[in-house]
Amino acid sequence: MMTIKEYRNKIYESIIFLVAFSICFTGISYWGKLCDYVIHGIEPDHSVMSVIMGYFTIIINVSVFAIFICIELCPLSCYLDNKERMHIVWVRVLIVIAILILLCSYPAMYAIEVHTTTHQNKPNDMFSSHGALFALSAYMKITPLTLLTLYAAYQQEKEKEQNEKEQKEKKQKVSSKVVPVDEIDEPNIKTILTQILYHCKESNIKINVHDVYEKIKKNDL
């Protein structure tokens, strides 16, 4: 059963999580509003519904872009796994495929921005300068979460390498503590054998540990 202190700590953790989530929720939404203001000149709406819709708009943008990133990683992973034995022509082909997949995100990001923004003068051509501004706004909105995700992945990989390094050092320390029998001083061996012999006599075990040790040294056993 949990103690009062543990219940109190759980309540504190829940409050901290809710406060942090609220701050992130509001910050992400207002980042999208800032992008709309800078690129489209749309004045930010501070209503609760507008803040909620701004948050979910960015989440949709990030989710769609993440799908293209996952597809792009397929040729890149093939290149990284076989780059030492892969011909240079195939390397270039895989890199070009990865770039083309990433470029295909442009129409998707443009479409999301056109359908979610409150801008009155929407473009008819995605490849026009006006349409490029809408796509640019969509890419700007996903920048903070994308950078945060990359940083978290980097920190996780760094911690994994650090743990592997610590485990390797521990194994080396343990192996260094194992001393071969022929490197132990002879007086210490005699002391150890005398102690073993004493315990054998106390336990009524009839064995001559000195003879056993001599046979071991001569590789007779």
Side-chain angles (χ1 to χ4, degrees):
M1 186 175 180
M2 295 178 64
T3 61
I4 296 177
K5 185 177 180 180
E6 290 175 340
Y7 277 116
R8 185 179 60 189
N9 292 336
K10 288 291 184 181
I11 293 173
Y12 287 160
E13 291 176 0
S14 300
I15 293 174
I16 292 172
F17 171 77
L18 291 175
V19 171
F21 177 77
S22 300
I23 294 173
C24 292
F25 184 94
T26 307
I28 290 172
S29 179
Y30 271 93
W31 170 256
K33 294 179 181 298
L34 178 62
C35 295
D36 288 336
Y37 177 75
V38 171
I39 296 179
H40 305 303
I42 301 174
E43 292 292 336
D45 184 3
H46 304 290
S47 63
V48 176
M49 184 58 65
S50 177
V51 172
I52 294 174
M53 292 304 298
Y55 172 80
F56 282 107
T57 297
I58 294 182
I59 294 301
I60 292 172
N61 285 335
V62 172
S63 301
V64 171
F65 188 72
I67 292 173
F68 284 94
I69 291 294
C70 292
I71 299 174
E72 181 193 25
L73 290 177
C74 295
L76 286 180
S77 61
C78 182
Y79 158 67
L80 293 175
D81 293 339
N82 304 282
K83 61 180 180 179
E84 294 182 355
R85 59 177 182 273
M86 185 177 291
H87 195 274
I88 187 63
V89 175
W90 286 109
V91 171
R92 293 173 179 174
V93 169
L94 291 175
I95 293 175
V96 170
I97 292 174
I99 294 174
L100 291 176
I101 293 173
L102 193 61
L103 290 176
C104 288
S105 66
Y106 178 90
M109 302 297 286
Y110 165 82
I112 294 173
E113 185 68 11
V114 168
H115 286 86
T116 56
T117 187
T118 57
H119 198 283
Q120 298 298 325
N121 184 19
K122 297 182 180 180
N124 296 321
D125 185 8
M126 72 174 70
F127 297 107
S128 63
S129 58
H130 193 193
L133 287 177
F134 275 73
L136 177 61
S137 177
Y139 283 113
M140 284 183 62
K141 289 178 180 179
I142 67 173
T143 301
L145 286 179
T146 303
L147 294 177
L148 184 62
T149 303
L150 292 175
Y151 177 76
Y154 169 75
Q155 288 294 116
Q156 185 176 4
E157 187 67 23
K158 189 176 180 181
E159 290 178 0
K160 182 180 178 181
E161 292 177 357
Q162 184 67 23
N163 292 334
E164 291 177 353
K165 184 178 179 181
E166 290 177 357
Q167 291 178 359
K168 187 176 180 180
E169 290 177 352
K170 287 181 181 179
K171 289 180 180 180
Q172 290 177 350
K173 288 180 180 179
V174 171
S175 61
S176 63
K177 291 180 181 179
V178 179
V179 182
V181 176
D182 55 356
E183 294 184 7
I184 303 178
D185 296 336
E186 192 67 25
N188 292 335
I189 288 291
K190 291 182 179 180
T191 303
I192 295 171
L193 292 176
T194 303
Q195 292 176 354
I196 295 174
L197 184 61
Y198 172 77
H199 289 295
C200 289
K201 289 182 179 179
E202 290 289 327
S203 303
N204 294 324
I205 299 175
K206 296 180 180 180
I207 184 173
N208 192 333
V209 293
H210 294 280
D211 292 342
V212 174
Y213 172 69
E214 292 297 331
K215 289 181 179 180
I216 292 174
K217 289 179 66 175
K218 295 177 180 179
N219 295 324
D220 290 338
L221 292 180

